[in-house]
Amino acid sequence: MLEINGLVKSYGKFTAVNNLSFKIEKGAVFGFVGPNGAGKTTTMKIMAGLLGATSGSILIDGLDVVKDKKLLKEKMGYMPDFFGVYDNLKVSEYMDFYAGTYYIPYSKRPALIDGLLELVDLTEKKDFYVDSLSRGMKQRLCLARSLIHDPEILLLDEPASGLDPRARVELKEILKNLGSMGKTIIISSHILPELAEMCTEIGIIDKGVMKAQGTVQQIMRMLSKKRRIEIKPFENMAGLVGILKELPDICAITENNDTVEIDFEGDDARLAAILKELVTGGIPILSFREREGNLEEIFMEITGGGQNDAKSDIKA
């Protein structure tokens, strides 16, 4: 488990990270959301051992890695938002260079490099020069580089930045594979709907402070007691609406083409009772589901429209 306690990073009078504390369970895919200047990159650099914290601790399985830089670098794999590649190297040479920085024996490097290039779907580019790769391929190569020492935790700062839709889908599939391998992954991004799809949990940071943490639905419920339920009947839309109007805990009913959406205040037991009432009332139901929360709306509400601040030149 990764645990951040009271993390502070100050630059003179400016505090980039302000008493930040959160926990991430082993094997989680954690989305770190916030506008530029919110403290995401600063936090990640501290976690990667590239910046010193003004105060606070970072614990991995109870061990304070801030006090042990060697252990920190063994446990963490870091992919920055602006990465450097060496254009005059071939892909295999690039990977071999980084294997050397982690003192991986020569005898183990070929199999390790081949396995990582296969993971990120770059096997066919092994003998290509790095400068011949597309941006998406370079992004995947840097991800492979961050895995060269088999870290437990991956820190990916804006990994989908500048990628076309196809490259984003490919990256998402790779991250799913890494999650299935038991890696703990922390992703920062402004591509908020995609984080909702790929992350088991999100944390929303603003002005160096963690504003909310949990699943999208948990955060939605923190902000509002209302839950949005979508109901699709096979037939008898009028009968469905008639029954819903008589039930308690329903704040609003919205009719669409073939579905009805209700704003509902109540727990899961009451929700199950509503479904039972509809079936008992003779309404054939094709689907009855709680709609996923909109991460973009959550972000704007929690940060007070903080995306407007994203134009700031300060990259915190």
Side-chain angles (χ1 to χ4, degrees):
M1 181 178 72
L2 175 66
E3 186 174 351
I4 310 296
N5 291 315
L7 200 65
V8 175
K9 180 62 180 178
S10 299
Y11 299 94
K13 294 182 180 180
F14 174 69
T15 301
V17 180
N18 188 2
N19 197 31
L20 190 67
S21 297
F22 59 96
K23 297 179 182 180
I24 302 175
E25 295 298 327
K26 195 168 186 175
V29 181
F30 183 85
F32 207 30
V33 186
N36 286 351
K40 303 186 311 297
T41 298
T42 299
T43 301
M44 284 193 158
K45 285 184 175 179
I46 294 171
M47 293 167 69
L50 300 176
L51 274 180
T54 304
S55 60
S57 64
I58 301 173
L59 304 179
I60 299 178
D61 296 330
L63 300 175
D64 190 346
V65 293
V66 169
K67 298 177 181 178
D68 189 338
K69 297 295 184 184
K70 183 175 182 295
L71 180 62
L72 177 64
K73 290 180 179 179
E74 287 176 359
K75 297 280 189 179
M76 297 284 192
Y78 177 57
M79 178 178 164
D81 54 347
F82 295 104
F83 49 86
V85 291
Y86 302 101
D87 292 343
N88 59 337
L89 291 178
K90 293 181 179 179
V91 167
S92 58
E93 293 171 337
Y94 176 86
M95 292 292 290
D96 185 76
F97 171 78
Y98 277 96
T101 65
Y102 283 95
Y103 305 103
I104 294 170
Y106 286 105
S107 60
K108 295 183 178 180
R109 292 183 195 178
L112 173 63
I113 291 170
D114 286 347
L116 289 173
L117 292 180
E118 182 180 358
L119 175 68
V120 299
D121 197 22
L122 287 177
T123 299
E124 295 181 358
K125 302 294 183 180
K126 180 179 178 179
D127 295 320
F128 282 58
Y129 282 95
V130 171
D131 63 353
S132 71
L133 302 180
S134 68
R135 178 173 175 82
M137 290 177 184
K138 287 180 180 179
Q139 210 63 321
R140 301 201 314 261
L141 177 60
C142 287
L143 177 58
R145 178 198 74 190
S146 70
L147 290 163
I148 198 78
H149 57 301
D150 194 24
E152 293 180 16
I153 301 169
L154 279 174
L155 306 172
L156 310 180
D157 197 3
E158 302 279 359
S161 176
L163 299 186
D164 60 45
R166 181 182 179 84
R168 287 176 183 168
V169 170
E170 292 170 348
L171 179 63
K172 190 185 301 184
E173 287 303 312
I174 293 169
L175 295 180
K176 284 182 181 178
N177 288 338
L178 290 171
S180 68
M181 293 163 59
K183 299 291 185 187
T184 301
I185 304 173
I186 303 172
I187 311 170
S188 75
S189 179
H190 294 297
I191 307 170
L192 308 179
E194 288 196 358
L195 281 188
E197 294 175 13
M198 67 196 332
C199 295
T200 57
E201 191 174 6
I202 62 169
I204 299 179
I205 184 173
D206 189 33
K207 298 181 176 66
V209 177
M210 186 70 81
K211 296 290 189 177
Q213 182 182 354
T215 66
V216 174
Q217 289 301 327
Q218 286 171 341
I219 294 173
M220 286 288 285
R221 291 174 192 176
M222 286 168 51
L223 295 176
S224 174
K225 293 181 180 179
K226 297 177 183 177
R227 301 163 67 177
R228 178 64 59 89
I229 310 300
E230 183 184 86
I231 307 168
K232 184 175 183 179
F234 176 68
E235 58 185 4
N236 197 3
M237 180 75 79
L240 168 64
V241 173
I243 293 175
L244 291 173
K245 286 181 177 179
E246 300 300 320
L247 297 178
D249 303 321
I250 295 176
C251 310
I253 300 171
T254 304
E255 295 184 54
N256 299 313
N257 291 332
D258 59 352
T259 63
V260 172
E261 290 185 0
I262 60 172
D263 287 339
F264 166 74
E265 291 184 344
D267 57 18
D268 288 345
R270 183 66 200 129
L271 193 59
I274 289 176
L275 178 57
K276 183 179 179 180
E277 290 274 359
L278 296 176
V279 174
T280 303
I283 307 298
I285 302 297
L286 289 177
S287 68
F288 185 96
R289 67 184 184 93
E290 186 166 0
R291 285 187 54 187
E292 292 294 319
N294 186 316
L295 190 53
E296 196 83 39
E297 293 175 2
I298 295 172
F299 179 85
M300 295 299 286
E301 183 166 350
I302 290 179
T303 62
Q307 289 235 46
N308 295 331
D309 299 330
K311 297 178 182 179
S312 168
D313 292 331
I314 299 173
K315 181 74 174 177

